[in-house]
């Protein structure tokens, strides 16, 4: 009888504002680990406040990898993330250091654990441009409905504003006649590059989670979110850049361009963040291997202790 491979990495994920960074830092201190960040926005340099990128104080002396990999005017992809992540994780394992993959971007986590990027088919520049024009013409919501007709599962996972991934999903289908979802199912049958022990932080009281999200957005504004976005605009980063479509940046740019008030922008950031948390929870609930850790009555330090004990048990088993 074959036994599952012992985990070599620990994943700490969950919806936004659940305390992943603090718990990951505490865990790394206890276990001698280092954080491998899995956040599709923290890869951008100069985008710190709106991405909740941990400060030096918040990192607590623990090394954080896969942050600040690209300029805000670049297009970053899951493929590029995996290309940077594999040598990073391999180097940590070679040094006998526990890689703690921490973040809320489920697509990045899944791709890194698998060791291969999704939708590995060649692109077609002309088709992609045509689909991009179609998206602009009909709008994100309508384009997502068109994707839903051929790939309902992927359409459900993507927000109408996620132009890049919506267009890519439709491009793959048009080129191959098969969906990214089908590709995902096939690759899921292959053994992962990195066996993992996976935990997701959450709050059983949804209202508590939403209050934390709203409070964090308000603190971002207090900490200078609008100044950060203005600096990006002054540097020539255009509002339609991929990075500027991130929650917080898109809404702040709208206010700075005079299309809404700053208060309205804050309210839109809070609303978009709550919706994003719902999508993150939906994604995670599909993974039967994820163990849930409710933070309603736990501190990050207490969560870290429990994670360490679970890790030690997994290694012993």
């Amino acid at each position: 009888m074959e036994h599952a491979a012992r985990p070599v990495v620990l994943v700490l994920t969950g919806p936004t504002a659940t305390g992943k960074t603090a718990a990951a830092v505490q865990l790394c201190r206890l276990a001698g680990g280092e954080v491998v960040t899995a956040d599709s926005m923290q890869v951008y340099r100069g985008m710190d406040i709106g991405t909740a990128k941990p400060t030096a104080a918040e990192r607590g002396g623990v090394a954080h990898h896969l942050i600040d990999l690209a300029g805000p005017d670049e297009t970053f992809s899951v493929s590029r993330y995996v290309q940077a992540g594999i040598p990073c994780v391999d180097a940590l394992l070679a040094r006998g250091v526990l890689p703690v993959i921490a973040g809320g971007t489920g697509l990045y986590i899944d791709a890194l654990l698998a060791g291969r990027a999704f939708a590995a088919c060649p692109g077609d520049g002309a088709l992609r441009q045509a689909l991009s024009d179609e998206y602009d013409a009909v709008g994100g919501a309508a384009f997502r409905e068109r994707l839903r007709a051929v790939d309902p599962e992927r359409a459900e996972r993507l927000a109408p504003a996620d132009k890049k991934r919506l267009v890519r999903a439709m491009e793959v289908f048009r080129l191959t006649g098969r969906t990214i979802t089908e590709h995902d199912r096939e690759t899921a049958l292959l053994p992962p590059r990195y066996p993992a022990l996976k935990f997701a932080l959450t709050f059983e009281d949804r209202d508590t989670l939403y209050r934390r999200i709203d409070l964090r957005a308000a603190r971002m504004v207090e900490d200078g979110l609008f100044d950060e976005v203005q600096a990006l605009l002054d540097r020539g980063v255009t509002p339609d850049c991929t990075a500027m479509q991130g929650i917080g940046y898109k809404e702040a740019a709208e206010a700075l361009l005079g299309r809404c008030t700053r208060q309205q922008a804050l309210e839109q950031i809070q609303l978009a963040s709550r919706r994003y948390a719902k999508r993150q929870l939906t994604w995670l609930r599909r993974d039967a291997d994820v163990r849930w850790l409710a933070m309603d009555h736990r501190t990050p330090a207490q969560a870290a202790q429990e994670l360490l004990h679970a890790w030690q048990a997994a290694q012993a088993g």
Side-chain angles (χ1 to χ4, degrees), residues 199-203 291-295 298 302-304 306-307:
F199 280 90
L201 304 186
T202 189
F203 283 86
R291 304 184 188 186
W292 293 88
L293 197 62
M295 298 298 290
R298 288 182 174 92
Q302 290 170 333
E306 293 184 46
L307 292 168

Side-chain angles (χ1 to χ4, degrees), residues 119 121-123 128 163-172 180:
C121 81
R128 185 173 301 176
K163 177 181 177 180
K164 180 180 70 174
R165 292 189 178 91
L166 287 168
V167 167
R168 176 58 174 162
M170 187 66 83
E171 178 191 13
V172 169
I180 288 180

Side-chain angles (χ1 to χ4, degrees), residues 150-181:
V150 296
D151 190 355
E153 290 185 41
R154 183 47 57 99
E156 183 63 28
R157 293 183 179 187
L158 299 177
D162 197 347
K163 177 181 177 180
K164 180 180 70 174
R165 292 189 178 91
L166 287 168
V167 167
R168 176 58 174 162
M170 187 66 83
E171 178 191 13
V172 169
F173 178 74
R174 296 276 183 89
L175 286 173
T176 67
R178 302 173 69 248
T179 67
I180 288 180
T181 298

Side-chain angles (χ1 to χ4, degrees), residues 97-121:
V97 173
L98 170 63
V100 177
I101 301 175
T105 304
L107 182 65
Y108 280 24
I109 292 171
D110 291 349
L112 179 56
L113 294 179
R116 49 195 172 268
F118 294 169
C121 81

